[in-house]
């Protein structure tokens, strides 16, 4: 029945002020009002309808995305939206498109690596979308190993130009989003060669297509790399292939903030570290961490609402069956994901602060916090995207059979999200970067260099190596100091164990390769410590709203106790806790599930998602699942006629044949 709220009873159970929680989730009242206004604007505009998206063939799907992206731009101009509002609008349109890379990577690359003059020339064109750009780094042969890229940019002093060339098949650019069919320009990463010497990778602005007829320019071969995982999903994006045959660009199209080539062809390295060339990746990894909480909260919202609607077993005296959300096994799978969504939200907020801080320092030529920013963005990107991708899939399973239907919204969400574990740095490769940072820190202990920031705990290494948990009863696990020490001791001990094992190798690189799996685990322990600490720090702030802080304390407890339970082996193996204390942690975890249960629906309502954004019958705000599932089935193209296309060609002859066989 339309207009009935099937989840109303659940909503009445809430023990906290949902509207205040919405503000905590959004980060501020301003962010809440912005998201609320823009998400409704998108939801109420038929131009942004998602109807039938998963059923479109690739060409139509892609054209539909072009239409939406262009329509979004039109609305942005008409409504005179600010940059912040425009970014929100693109977010709520909720369809991967070339504009993600134009705004999310092409522009930031020019801002981060271009000189003032280069920014002055290129940014106004890009801001008005008079040129459309992408980020062309990865090649067919190399992605993770950026130093292994093969595209060359050779300086020609005769003409004051660079010659961009793809010398091998494996040097073909492969994957850049927006490249295949749309971009007119790219920031291309290539080996800089001048005076016969190879100076390694640098970025270059290269025009690819005519601004008149969009044809590839002479020497440029460009196209789409083909269909990707999932129906619809990331196939709205034109990930591309690109080859250069001695394409010439003016010298001033080399991005010259980090290093320059003079008119005479002399290579000049400025005093900023070369690692700034990787700055766009640091920026995007930071945005990916914030985005993890968006994707996970969406899946959790769907699974939680549906778990309250769905009933199986346990009817007594003809009464209703049990809501599946009341099964402890369902809670044990679902509630830690709900808690993780909140945890990732807060660590994302903190990482944004860290990124802003490091950017301001870089502008003042202070490069001291860059290694930590790199380790944090790499590690948290890896941790949060892995947990989110796994979490979305778990939410699909939590919804039983109906979760497998595209109309649940979960298959598409998973297919769109899962490449986040690979793009912007493969998650294992990134963990190994964190491990290098940890090993460097351990090796410098005792050198007088005091570890600071997220690694400050290593400064208390002697205590952390020998302390023991003093938890005696389950509720002792609610003390923040007990928890932080447990996660610090585990991370410190795992790092030190790796460092000790590494020291047994004559060749440190050989040792690093041999111990890589242990090192990656130590990196995970360090990153989990960051997330837990930032959640706990958040709770130390003044949080208004009746019951809001209490709910966040429950979520925080579930987050760290679930991790403690899942990684019990680490905590027990490093000798910080006893098996009795591990069991007390589990008792406390179960108690927290019971506390969370009445608030579950309101905690997902606090995400403030419109039904348009969720795009899920199972996750509908009103819980009216069954009639809508039934209705949606009849919209499938297969149901346009009672008799299937192909009946006369295939089914009928089959039936006839069976008839003949039966008569024999
Ligand atoms: C609101 C707006 C929202 C907008 C959102 C936009 C989001 C859009 C999303 C769109 C979707 C998809 C986009 C996907 C785009 C891409 O995938 S682009 C391609 C990304 N590619 C990668 O990430 C490659 C991964 N590889 C690397 O990062 C590096 O090459 C690697 C770190 C693995 C390097 O390994 P090495 O060869 O060992 O390293 P070196 O180059 O020798 O450098 C070593 C030193 O440099 C330090 N380092 C490394 N990386 C960084 C960095 N990023 N920043 C700072 N420092 C760095 C490293 O620690 C070493 O330091 P040391 O010498 O030890 O002191
Ligand atoms: C949807 C999507 C969009 C993308 N968009 C862009 C874009 O816009 N622009 C762009 O330039 N690129 C883009 N990429 C490319 C992406 O950045 C790379 O695919 C990514 O960096 C991983 O590199 P790779 O493919 O070389 O993986 P590989 O490095 O080949 O990884 C293969 C396997 O080897 C393992 N491995 C590799 N090196 C090591 C090591 N040192 N130690 C241990 N294990 C290792 C990995 O863990 C992985 O399991 C995109 C990719 C995808 C999937």
């Amino acid at each position: 029945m339309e207009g009935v709220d099937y989840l109303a009873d659940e909503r009445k159970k809430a023990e906290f002020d949902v509207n205040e929680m919405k503000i905590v989730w959004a980060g501020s009242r301003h962010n809440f009002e912005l998201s609320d206004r823009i998400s409704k604007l998108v939801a109420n505009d038929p131009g942004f309808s998602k109807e039938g998206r998963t059923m479109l063939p690739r060409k139509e799907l892609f054209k539909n995305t072009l239409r939406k992206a262009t329509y979004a731009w039109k609305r942005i101009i008409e409504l005179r939206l600010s940059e912040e509002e425009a970014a929100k609008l693109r977010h709520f349109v909720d369809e991967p498109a070339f504009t993600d890379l134009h705004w999310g990577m092409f522009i930031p690359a020019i801002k981060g690596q271009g000189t003032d003059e280069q920014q002055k020339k290129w940014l106004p064109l890009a801001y008005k979308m008079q040129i459309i750009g992408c980020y062309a780094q990865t090649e067919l042969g190399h992605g993770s190993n950026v130093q292994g890229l093969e595209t060359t940019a050779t300086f020609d002093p005769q003409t004051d130009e660079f010659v961009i060339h793809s010398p091998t098949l494996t040097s073909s650019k492969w994957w850049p989003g927006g490249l295949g069919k749309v971009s007119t320009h790219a920031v291309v990463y290539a080996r800089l060669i001048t005076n016969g010497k190879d100076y390694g990778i640098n970025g270059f602005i290269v025009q690819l297509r005519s601004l008149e007829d969009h044809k590839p320019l002479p020497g440029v071969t460009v196209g789409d790399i083909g269909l990707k995982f999932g129906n619809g999903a990331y196939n709205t994006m034109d990930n591309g292939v690109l080859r250069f045959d001695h394409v010439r660009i003016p010298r001033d199209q080399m991005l010259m903030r980090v290093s320059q080539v003079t008119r005479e062809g002399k290579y000049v390295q400025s005093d900023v570290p070369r690692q700034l060339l990787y700055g766009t990746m640091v920026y995007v990894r930071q945005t990916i961490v914030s985005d993890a909480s968006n994707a996970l909260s969406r899946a959790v919202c769907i699974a939680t609402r549906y778990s309250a609607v769905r009933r199986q077993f346990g009817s007594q005296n003809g009464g209703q069956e049990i809501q599946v959300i009341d099964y402890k096994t369902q809670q044990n799978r679902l509630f830690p994901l709900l808690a993780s969504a909140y945890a990732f939200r807060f660590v994302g907020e903190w990482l944004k602060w860290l990124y802003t801080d490091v950017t301001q320092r870089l502008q003042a030529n202070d490069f001291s916090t860059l290694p930590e920013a790199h380790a944090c963005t790499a590690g948290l990107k890896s941790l949060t995207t892995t947990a989110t991708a796994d979490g979305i899939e778990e939410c699909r399973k939590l919804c039983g059979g109906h979760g497998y239907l595209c109309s649940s919204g979960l298959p598409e969400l998973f297919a769109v999200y899962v490449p986040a574990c690979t793009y912007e740095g493969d998650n294992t490769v990134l963990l190994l970067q964190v491990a290098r940072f940890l090993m460097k820190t351990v090796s410098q202990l005792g050198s007088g260099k005091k570890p600071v920031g997220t690694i400050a705990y290593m400064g208390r290494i002697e205590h952390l190596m020998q302390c023991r948990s003093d938890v005696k009863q389950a509720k002792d696990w609610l003390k923040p100091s007990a928890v932080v020490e447990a996660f610090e001791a585990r991370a410190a001990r795992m790092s030190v164990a790796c460092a000790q094992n590494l020291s047994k190798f004559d060749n440190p690189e050989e040792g690093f390769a041999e111990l890589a799996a242990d090192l990656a685990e130590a990196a995970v322990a360090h990153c989990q410590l960051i997330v837990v600490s930032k959640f706990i720090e958040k709770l130390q702030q003044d949080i208004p709203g009746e019951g809001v802080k209490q709910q966040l304390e429950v979520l925080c407890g579930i987050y760290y106790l679930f991790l403690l339970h899942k990684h019990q082996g680490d905590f027990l193996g490093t000798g910080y806790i006893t098996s009795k204390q591990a069991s007390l942690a589990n008792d406390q975890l179960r108690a927290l599930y019971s506390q969370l249960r009445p608030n579950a629906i309101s905690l997902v309502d606090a995400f403030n998602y419109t039904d348009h954004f969720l795009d899920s019958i199972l996750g509908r705000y009103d819980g009216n699942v069954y009639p809508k599932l039934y209705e949606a089935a009849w919209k499938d193209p297969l149901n346009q006629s009672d008799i299937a296309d192909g009946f006369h060609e295939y089914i009928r002859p089959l039936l006839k044949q069976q008839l003949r066989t039966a008569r024999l």
Side-chain angles (χ1 to χ4, degrees), residues 292 295-296 299 337 344 382-396 413-415 417-421 427:
L296 184 56
L337 296 176
F344 296 168
S382 174
L383 186 88
T384 57
T385 56
T386 300
T388 297
D390 293 350
I392 296 169
E393 171 60 0
E394 188 64 17
C395 285
R396 184 190 68 72
L413 184 60
F414 180 72
Y417 193 76
V418 77
C421 297
N427 280 355

Side-chain angles (χ1 to χ4, degrees), residues 189-202:
Y189 287 83
R191 315 196 74 80
L192 192 169
I193 298 168
T194 180
N195 289 323
K197 192 167 168 208
D198 183 338
Y199 288 92
I201 301 304
N202 208 92

Side-chain angles (χ1 to χ4, degrees), residues 101 105 134-146 149 173-179 187 189 225 228 234 237 239-240 281 285 381 415-416 418-430 432 436 512-513 516:
L101 282 302
M105 293 203 78
C134 64
Y135 185 87
Q137 183 175 294
T138 308
E139 297 175 354
L140 194 53
H142 295 92
S144 299
N145 181 6
V146 178
L149 298 179
K173 292 292 171 190
W174 191 272
W175 271 118
L179 166 67
V187 169
Y189 287 83
I225 59 170
K228 292 155 297 220
Y234 215 80
M237 185 72 85
N239 293 93
M281 292 188 272
R285 284 171 194 157
K381 182 271 179 185
V416 168
V418 77
C421 297
T422 304
Y423 62 56
E424 220 41 68
D426 166 83
N427 280 355
T428 301
V429 170
L430 293 186
L432 293 174
R436 280 194 191 277
F512 199 88

Side-chain angles (χ1 to χ4, degrees), residues 47-63:
F48 296 125
S49 162
K50 296 175 179 176
E51 191 77 25
R53 177 163 77 171
T54 50
M55 312 227 186
L56 293 175
R58 176 84 197 283
K59 266 177 118 171
E60 282 175 42
L61 179 75
F62 180 67
K63 196 168 171 192

